[in-house]
Amino acid sequence: MQIKQNISLKPYNTFGIDVIAKHFVSVDTIEALNEVISLQNYPNKLILGGGSNMLLTKNFDGLVIHINLKGIEVLSEDDNFVTVRAQAGENWHEFVLWCINNDFGGVENLSLIPGNVGTAPIQNIGAYGVELKDVFESCEAIPLESKTIKTFTKTDCNFGYRNSIFKQDAKGKFIITSVDFRLTKHSHKRHVNYGTIISELENQGIKNPTIKDISKAVIAIRESKLPNPKEIGNSGSFFKNPVISKSHFDSLLKNFSDIPSYPVSDNEVKVPAGWLIEKAGFKGKRFGNYGVHKKQALVLVNYGEAKGSDILDLSKLIQKTVERLFGIAIEAEVNIL
Ligand code: FAD
Ligand code: EPU
């Protein structure tokens, strides 16, 4: 374990923002992690996974702990289900591919989401009709203040839309070290009704899709609208989709008859923030080195050497404009540091 000084975080965040970490350490064993946690002379610590859900707006004057714990194993199985444990530093998409190759079902709709397995519970990652909570069994985490590993069950995690206990009471207090998943061994539940999955499968002439077919369809859809961070810096959806009251929605319908919505409860609907941002005129807008993606208005992008503060300012302008036009406060999904 080596603590390095003055390291650029540019290769460690998918926005590609060039800020400096005063101290940086990559940990690949629990022992090394425990050792780092107990170091008294670094009170200010930042946990870093794949860096795909953060906007770095300034240099970090503390210790960045890069989670690089690796390993995937089958813990137990019965005739129908398997419990798989993946260490926190495993790449999420590679884990999904490992599951598909073993014909373990449940995570195929979550294909191609960047980031680490250990970060997935934090915002309960979701896409194409499936959320992490649907396959989550438990996770292990070390408190930053001690070395006693704690197990969080699904109930403990209090999962919601882009939300969990790790964004509430436990925020910034734990390092997730591994996640256990409950996956199907056969008769996989196929989630194909969301978005354009069915039409994508039909285009390929597939009527009875395998989990591999679903994964491929999801990958094709994602590649058609989301920018590849290796080519254009971004952090996926910058904002969450807002939930508003049905009465607020009905009043908006008078002026915006084409506003889309998804039911949440009897009194609430979810509105796609991408639609609000597009309607506000930002889709495809470029401001020098940064802007709003031309195919997905919910994604802010770094075309080159943008500063995190430029992108933060743009996000605030978008929030203000959406609030003025629709009376809706959209909240950042990305962690701003
Ligand atoms: P990081 O950015 O490294 O960290 C995020 C936060 O978690 C930070 O606050 C960090 O301090 C903390 N953290 C990191 N690791 C740990 C740990 N082990 N223990 C405790 N805290 C930790 N998300 C979706 O839900 N659905 C999508 O469809 C989706 N699509 C995306 C598409 C693109 C192109 C991109 C760039 C991002 C997308 N995202 C999506 C967002 C992102 O991939 C997820 O939020 C992912 O889980 C972030 O993982 P990470 O390891 O990169 O997190
Ligand atoms: N839309 C527009 N203009 C746009 C973009 C979207 O009008 O530029 C409207 C359209 O009506 C479209 C609808 O928004 O039908 C939904 O768009 P899309 O299917 O692209 O999904 P999203 O709501 O924008 C969410 C997640 C994504 C996830 C996809 C697929 C959030 C904040 N984002 O995006 O997650 O991949 O659904 O399930 O919930 C992420 O979290 O980083 C992320 C990429």
Side-chain angles (χ1 to χ4, degrees), residues 12 14-15 46-54 65 67 88-89 92 110-128 141 162 166 171-172 174-177 222 226-229 234-237 299 333 335 337:
Y12 293 99
T14 59
F15 250 128
L46 168 64
I47 313 306
L48 175 69
S52 67
N53 204 24
M54 49 174 68
I65 306 175
I67 305 299
W92 175 264
L110 302 175
S111 294
L112 212 63
I113 297 181
N116 283 1
V117 167
T119 326
I122 294 179
Q123 71 159 10
N124 179 27
I125 57 167
Y128 297 95
R162 297 296 189 269
F166 301 106
K171 189 173 175 165
F174 290 88
I175 300 177
I176 298 174
T177 54
R222 294 181 68 98
L226 290 170
N228 179 347
N234 76 92
S235 227
S237 302
V299 179
E333 186 210 83
N335 298 281
L337 297 158

Side-chain angles (χ1 to χ4, degrees), residues 38 95 113 178 203:
S38 41
F95 167 69
I113 297 181
S178 67
N203 287 345

Side-chain angles (χ1 to χ4, degrees), residues 22-43:
K22 192 159 186 192
H23 312 284
F24 180 98
V25 65
S26 193
V27 290
D28 52 15
T29 63
I30 293 287
E31 294 71 33
L33 183 56
N34 276 325
E35 205 182 310
V36 167
I37 290 172
S38 41
L39 293 172
Q40 298 299 319
N41 40 343
Y42 301 100

Side-chain angles (χ1 to χ4, degrees), residues 52-316:
S52 67
N53 204 24
M54 49 174 68
L55 177 65
L56 300 165
T57 60
K58 47 184 182 287
N59 292 340
F60 185 69
D61 193 29
L63 175 64
V64 169
I65 306 175
H66 178 231
I67 305 299
N68 199 26
L69 305 164
K70 299 284 186 191
I72 304 176
E73 62 184 314
V74 171
L75 287 187
S76 64
E77 58 188 307
D78 59 23
D79 290 346
N80 302 318
F81 295 97
V82 59
T83 299
V84 174
R85 172 167 297 176
Q87 298 299 313
E90 285 290 339
N91 173 270
W92 175 264
H93 181 59
E94 281 167 23
F95 167 69
V96 170
L97 295 179
W98 181 92
C99 294
I100 291 167
N101 286 337
N102 283 286
D103 200 23
F104 296 156
V107 285
E108 53 283 354
N109 291 55
L110 302 175
S111 294
L112 212 63
I113 297 181
N116 283 1
V117 167
T119 326
I122 294 179
Q123 71 159 10
N124 179 27
I125 57 167
Y128 297 95
V130 173
E131 289 183 321
L132 179 88
K133 70 172 172 50
D134 302 328
V135 288
F136 179 94
E137 196 164 276
S138 63
C139 67
E140 290 195 335
I142 304 184
L144 272 162
E145 301 303 324
S146 77
K147 292 183 189 170
T148 325
I149 286 196
K150 179 173 160 56
T151 300
F152 288 83
T153 63
K154 195 194 283 204
T155 314
D156 294 335
C157 286
N158 199 20
F159 288 122
Y161 164 64
R162 297 296 189 269
N163 205 355
S164 76
I165 190 165
F166 301 106
K167 297 196 100 180
Q168 307 153 17
D169 294 356
K171 189 173 175 165
K173 294 185 183 153
F174 290 88
I175 300 177
I176 298 174
T177 54
S178 67
V179 183
D180 292 358
F181 300 86
R182 189 168 192 257
L183 304 167
T184 48
K185 286 172 68 176
H186 56 82
S187 316
H188 307 304
K189 221 178 188 176
R190 289 167 177 81
H191 300 272
V192 291
N193 293 327
Y194 186 96
T196 49
I197 299 185
I198 287 187
S199 52
E200 183 62 41
L201 289 166
E202 275 169 2
N203 287 345
Q204 296 174 25
I206 297 167
K207 286 205 180 85
N208 291 309
T210 61
I211 54 173
K212 194 171 192 169
D213 294 330
I214 294 173
S215 168
K216 279 186 176 167
V218 167
I219 290 173
I221 298 166
R222 294 181 68 98
E223 285 179 336
S224 73
K225 54 179 153 186
L226 290 170
N228 179 347
K230 288 192 180 128
E231 290 157 14
I232 304 177
N234 76 92
S235 227
S237 302
F238 195 92
F239 303 99
K240 292 187 223 171
N241 287 327
V243 174
I244 62 171
S245 70
K246 191 86 180 41
S247 57
H248 186 174
F249 180 74
D250 289 341
S251 71
L252 287 171
L253 266 180
K254 289 178 194 145
N255 291 325
F256 306 99
S257 58
D258 56 338
I259 183 169
S261 68
Y262 314 104
V264 170
S265 67
D266 285 350
N267 307 319
E268 289 175 318
V269 294
K270 194 187 272 181
V271 175
W275 185 91
L276 299 169
I277 298 167
E278 178 171 351
K279 221 40 179 190
F282 285 101
K283 190 170 183 172
K285 273 265 165 75
R286 182 167 177 164
F287 307 83
N289 276 333
Y290 58 97
V292 178
H293 189 50
K294 57 180 190 299
K295 294 184 190 162
Q296 224 308 357
L298 200 43
V299 179
L300 306 192
V301 291
N302 173 12
Y303 288 108
E305 301 299 313
K307 290 191 197 131
S309 55
D310 292 334
I311 293 170
L312 180 61
D313 288 347
L314 172 59
S315 77
K316 287 180 181 162

